[in-house]
PDB file of all heavy atoms in Angstrom:
ATOM      1  N   ARG A  27     107.130 101.314  93.886  1.00 93.00           N
ATOM      2  CA  ARG A  27     107.801 100.999  95.167  1.00 93.00           C
ATOM      3  C   ARG A  27     108.026  99.519  95.268  1.00 93.00           C
ATOM      4  O   ARG A  27     109.060  99.081  95.739  1.00 93.00           O
ATOM      5  CB  ARG A  27     106.964 101.507  96.362  1.00 93.00           C
ATOM      6  CG  ARG A  27     107.198 102.934  96.697  1.00 93.00           C
ATOM      7  CD  ARG A  27     106.561 103.299  98.051  1.00 93.00           C
ATOM      8  NE  ARG A  27     105.095 103.151  98.036  1.00 93.00           N
ATOM      9  CZ  ARG A  27     104.286 104.130  97.679  1.00 93.00           C
ATOM     10  NH1 ARG A  27     104.741 105.319  97.300  1.00 93.00           N
ATOM     11  NH2 ARG A  27     103.004 103.927  97.702  1.00 93.00           N
ATOM     12  N   PHE A  66      95.261  92.853  90.388  1.00 91.00           N
ATOM     13  CA  PHE A  66      95.655  92.450  89.055  1.00 91.00           C
ATOM     14  C   PHE A  66      97.001  93.101  88.696  1.00 91.00           C
ATOM     15  O   PHE A  66      97.906  92.432  88.198  1.00 91.00           O
ATOM     16  CB  PHE A  66      94.587  92.955  88.053  1.00 91.00           C
ATOM     17  CG  PHE A  66      94.762  92.452  86.679  1.00 91.00           C
ATOM     18  CD1 PHE A  66      94.514  91.111  86.349  1.00 91.00           C
ATOM     19  CD2 PHE A  66      95.181  93.319  85.671  1.00 91.00           C
ATOM     20  CE1 PHE A  66      94.663  90.655  85.035  1.00 91.00           C
ATOM     21  CE2 PHE A  66      95.349  92.865  84.396  1.00 91.00           C
ATOM     22  CZ  PHE A  66      95.120  91.548  84.047  1.00 91.00           C
ATOM     23  N   ASN A  73     105.022  89.209  88.272  1.00 89.00           N
ATOM     24  CA  ASN A  73     105.456  88.409  87.167  1.00 89.00           C
ATOM     25  C   ASN A  73     106.522  89.124  86.327  1.00 89.00           C
ATOM     26  O   ASN A  73     107.462  88.459  85.876  1.00 89.00           O
ATOM     27  CB  ASN A  73     104.251  88.085  86.268  1.00 89.00           C
ATOM     28  CG  ASN A  73     103.312  87.093  86.917  1.00 89.00           C
ATOM     29  OD1 ASN A  73     103.746  86.334  87.810  1.00 89.00           O
ATOM     30  ND2 ASN A  73     102.099  87.050  86.482  1.00 89.00           N
ATOM     31  N   ARG A 101     115.967 111.231  84.477  1.00 53.00           N
ATOM     32  CA  ARG A 101     115.026 112.281  84.916  1.00 53.00           C
ATOM     33  C   ARG A 101     114.109 111.684  86.002  1.00 53.00           C
ATOM     34  O   ARG A 101     113.487 110.654  85.817  1.00 53.00           O
ATOM     35  CB  ARG A 101     114.150 112.732  83.734  1.00 53.00           C
ATOM     36  CG  ARG A 101     113.326 113.951  83.956  1.00 53.00           C
ATOM     37  CD  ARG A 101     112.628 114.267  82.652  1.00 53.00           C
ATOM     38  NE  ARG A 101     111.653 115.296  82.836  1.00 53.00           N
ATOM     39  CZ  ARG A 101     110.743 115.580  81.945  1.00 53.00           C
ATOM     40  NH1 ARG A 101     110.659 114.925  80.824  1.00 53.00           N
ATOM     41  NH2 ARG A 101     109.896 116.509  82.174  1.00 53.00           N
ATOM     42  N   ARG A 133     102.713  95.774 104.777  1.00 94.00           N
ATOM     43  CA  ARG A 133     102.162  96.319 106.031  1.00 94.00           C
ATOM     44  C   ARG A 133     102.883  97.611 106.411  1.00 94.00           C
ATOM     45  O   ARG A 133     102.279  98.643 106.711  1.00 94.00           O
ATOM     46  CB  ARG A 133     102.329  95.304 107.157  1.00 94.00           C
ATOM     47  CG  ARG A 133     101.713  95.702 108.469  1.00 94.00           C
ATOM     48  CD  ARG A 133     100.240  95.538 108.515  1.00 94.00           C
ATOM     49  NE  ARG A 133      99.699  95.975 109.777  1.00 94.00           N
ATOM     50  CZ  ARG A 133      98.761  96.933 109.880  1.00 94.00           C
ATOM     51  NH1 ARG A 133      98.263  97.453 108.832  1.00 94.00           N
ATOM     52  NH2 ARG A 133      98.331  97.259 111.045  1.00 94.00           N
ATOM     53  N   GLU A 137     101.088 100.149 104.239  1.00 91.00           N
ATOM     54  CA  GLU A 137     100.082 100.238 105.274  1.00 91.00           C
ATOM     55  C   GLU A 137      98.788  99.548 104.862  1.00 91.00           C
ATOM     56  O   GLU A 137      97.683 100.066 105.235  1.00 91.00           O
ATOM     57  CB  GLU A 137      99.864 101.740 105.680  1.00 91.00           C
ATOM     58  CG  GLU A 137     101.111 102.352 106.214  1.00 91.00           C
ATOM     59  CD  GLU A 137     100.900 103.795 106.628  1.00 91.00           C
ATOM     60  OE1 GLU A 137      99.820 104.324 106.494  1.00 91.00           O
ATOM     61  OE2 GLU A 137     101.852 104.420 107.109  1.00 91.00           O
ATOM     62  N   ASN A 159     103.242  89.102 112.063  1.00 94.00           N
ATOM     63  CA  ASN A 159     103.565  89.054 113.492  1.00 94.00           C
ATOM     64  C   ASN A 159     104.980  88.508 113.652  1.00 94.00           C
ATOM     65  O   ASN A 159     105.813  89.113 114.387  1.00 94.00           O
ATOM     66  CB  ASN A 159     102.622  88.163 114.167  1.00 94.00           C
ATOM     67  CG  ASN A 159     102.231  88.679 115.527  1.00 94.00           C
ATOM     68  OD1 ASN A 159     102.830  89.675 115.997  1.00 94.00           O
ATOM     69  ND2 ASN A 159     101.179  88.142 116.124  1.00 94.00           N
ATOM     70  N   LYS A 162     107.615  90.914 112.269  1.00 93.00           N
ATOM     71  CA  LYS A 162     107.871  92.060 113.165  1.00 93.00           C
ATOM     72  C   LYS A 162     108.797  91.680 114.311  1.00 93.00           C
ATOM     73  O   LYS A 162     109.583  92.484 114.744  1.00 93.00           O
ATOM     74  CB  LYS A 162     106.532  92.568 113.757  1.00 93.00           C
ATOM     75  CG  LYS A 162     105.768  93.477 112.770  1.00 93.00           C
ATOM     76  CD  LYS A 162     104.585  94.053 113.427  1.00 93.00           C
ATOM     77  CE  LYS A 162     103.872  95.015 112.508  1.00 93.00           C
ATOM     78  NZ  LYS A 162     102.664  95.560 113.145  1.00 93.00           N
ATOM     79  N   LYS A 163     108.606  90.461 114.802  1.00 93.00           N
ATOM     80  CA  LYS A 163     109.483  90.029 115.902  1.00 93.00           C
ATOM     81  C   LYS A 163     110.949  89.937 115.408  1.00 93.00           C
ATOM     82  O   LYS A 163     111.853  90.354 116.127  1.00 93.00           O
ATOM     83  CB  LYS A 163     109.020  88.658 116.425  1.00 93.00           C
ATOM     84  CG  LYS A 163     107.836  88.802 117.337  1.00 93.00           C
ATOM     85  CD  LYS A 163     107.461  87.440 117.933  1.00 93.00           C
ATOM     86  CE  LYS A 163     106.218  87.619 118.786  1.00 93.00           C
ATOM     87  NZ  LYS A 163     105.675  86.318 119.244  1.00 93.00           N
TER      88      LYS A 163
ATOM     89  N   LYS B  16     108.302 105.276 102.220  1.00 88.00           N
ATOM     90  CA  LYS B  16     106.830 105.400 102.010  1.00 88.00           C
ATOM     91  C   LYS B  16     106.530 106.493 101.014  1.00 88.00           C
ATOM     92  O   LYS B  16     105.500 106.466 100.349  1.00 88.00           O
ATOM     93  CB  LYS B  16     106.143 105.702 103.338  1.00 88.00           C
ATOM     94  CG  LYS B  16     105.959 104.526 104.239  1.00 88.00           C
ATOM     95  CD  LYS B  16     105.219 104.982 105.459  1.00 88.00           C
ATOM     96  CE  LYS B  16     105.163 103.889 106.500  1.00 88.00           C
ATOM     97  NZ  LYS B  16     104.472 104.304 107.711  1.00 88.00           N
ATOM     98  N   ALA B  18     108.393 107.235  98.562  1.00 88.00           N
ATOM     99  CA  ALA B  18     109.081 106.938  97.293  1.00 88.00           C
ATOM    100  C   ALA B  18     108.018 106.871  96.172  1.00 88.00           C
ATOM    101  O   ALA B  18     106.918 106.330  96.408  1.00 88.00           O
ATOM    102  CB  ALA B  18     109.853 105.668  97.332  1.00 88.00           C
ATOM    103  N   ASP B  27     105.375 111.680  81.734  1.00 89.00           N
ATOM    104  CA  ASP B  27     106.020 111.087  80.530  1.00 89.00           C
ATOM    105  C   ASP B  27     105.500 109.663  80.286  1.00 89.00           C
ATOM    106  O   ASP B  27     105.259 109.268  79.186  1.00 89.00           O
ATOM    107  CB  ASP B  27     107.546 111.079  80.685  1.00 89.00           C
ATOM    108  CG  ASP B  27     108.103 112.503  80.592  1.00 89.00           C
ATOM    109  OD1 ASP B  27     107.359 113.461  80.233  1.00 89.00           O
ATOM    110  OD2 ASP B  27     109.326 112.689  80.866  1.00 89.00           O
ATOM    111  N   LEU B 121      94.316  85.268  86.571  1.00 83.00           N
ATOM    112  CA  LEU B 121      93.240  86.092  86.014  1.00 83.00           C
ATOM    113  C   LEU B 121      91.916  85.373  86.167  1.00 83.00           C
ATOM    114  O   LEU B 121      90.909  85.970  86.613  1.00 83.00           O
ATOM    115  CB  LEU B 121      93.520  86.300  84.490  1.00 83.00           C
ATOM    116  CG  LEU B 121      92.711  87.322  83.806  1.00 83.00           C
ATOM    117  CD1 LEU B 121      92.867  88.681  84.476  1.00 83.00           C
ATOM    118  CD2 LEU B 121      93.169  87.396  82.342  1.00 83.00           C
ATOM    119  N   GLU B 155     120.296  81.214  86.152  1.00 72.00           N
ATOM    120  CA  GLU B 155     119.132  82.095  85.864  1.00 72.00           C
ATOM    121  C   GLU B 155     117.894  81.288  85.560  1.00 72.00           C
ATOM    122  O   GLU B 155     116.838  81.520  86.117  1.00 72.00           O
ATOM    123  CB  GLU B 155     119.397  82.908  84.574  1.00 72.00           C
ATOM    124  CG  GLU B 155     120.230  84.122  84.809  1.00 72.00           C
ATOM    125  CD  GLU B 155     120.469  84.822  83.448  1.00 72.00           C
ATOM    126  OE1 GLU B 155     119.566  85.525  83.015  1.00 72.00           O
ATOM    127  OE2 GLU B 155     121.562  84.597  82.864  1.00 72.00           O
ATOM    128  N   GLN B 166     105.343  79.691  92.617  1.00 82.00           N
ATOM    129  CA  GLN B 166     104.169  80.528  92.416  1.00 82.00           C
ATOM    130  C   GLN B 166     102.924  79.668  92.162  1.00 82.00           C
ATOM    131  O   GLN B 166     101.864  79.933  92.667  1.00 82.00           O
ATOM    132  CB  GLN B 166     104.447  81.422  91.186  1.00 82.00           C
ATOM    133  CG  GLN B 166     103.811  82.772  91.267  1.00 82.00           C
ATOM    134  CD  GLN B 166     104.179  83.628  90.056  1.00 82.00           C
ATOM    135  OE1 GLN B 166     105.034  83.281  89.288  1.00 82.00           O
ATOM    136  NE2 GLN B 166     103.459  84.707  89.897  1.00 82.00           N
ATOM    137  N   GLU B 206     101.595  95.107 118.677  1.00 48.00           N
ATOM    138  CA  GLU B 206     100.324  95.421 117.989  1.00 48.00           C
ATOM    139  C   GLU B 206      99.421  94.178 117.910  1.00 48.00           C
ATOM    140  O   GLU B 206      99.848  93.117 117.647  1.00 48.00           O
ATOM    141  CB  GLU B 206     100.600  95.894 116.564  1.00 48.00           C
ATOM    142  CG  GLU B 206      99.343  96.343 115.843  1.00 48.00           C
ATOM    143  CD  GLU B 206      99.612  96.748 114.429  1.00 48.00           C
ATOM    144  OE1 GLU B 206     100.838  96.695 114.061  1.00 48.00           O
ATOM    145  OE2 GLU B 206      98.722  97.109 113.722  1.00 48.00           O
ATOM    146  N   ASP B 232     101.488  86.705 121.815  1.00 43.00           N
ATOM    147  CA  ASP B 232     101.855  88.013 121.368  1.00 43.00           C
ATOM    148  C   ASP B 232     101.237  89.082 122.250  1.00 43.00           C
ATOM    149  O   ASP B 232     101.860  90.143 122.444  1.00 43.00           O
ATOM    150  CB  ASP B 232     101.380  88.250 119.941  1.00 43.00           C
ATOM    151  CG  ASP B 232     102.105  87.309 119.005  1.00 43.00           C
ATOM    152  OD1 ASP B 232     103.175  86.848 119.414  1.00 43.00           O
ATOM    153  OD2 ASP B 232     101.642  87.053 117.926  1.00 43.00           O
TER     154      ASP B 232
END
Side-chain angles (χ1 to χ4, degrees):
Chain A
R27 276 192 295 273
F66 189 73
N73 289 338
R101 191 177 171 193
R133 181 80 182 124
E137 298 180 0
N159 220 349
K162 278 187 177 177
K163 281 184 180 171
Chain B
K16 281 181 187 179
D27 288 351
L121 192 59
E155 278 178 80
Q166 213 178 348
E206 184 183 359
D232 295 339

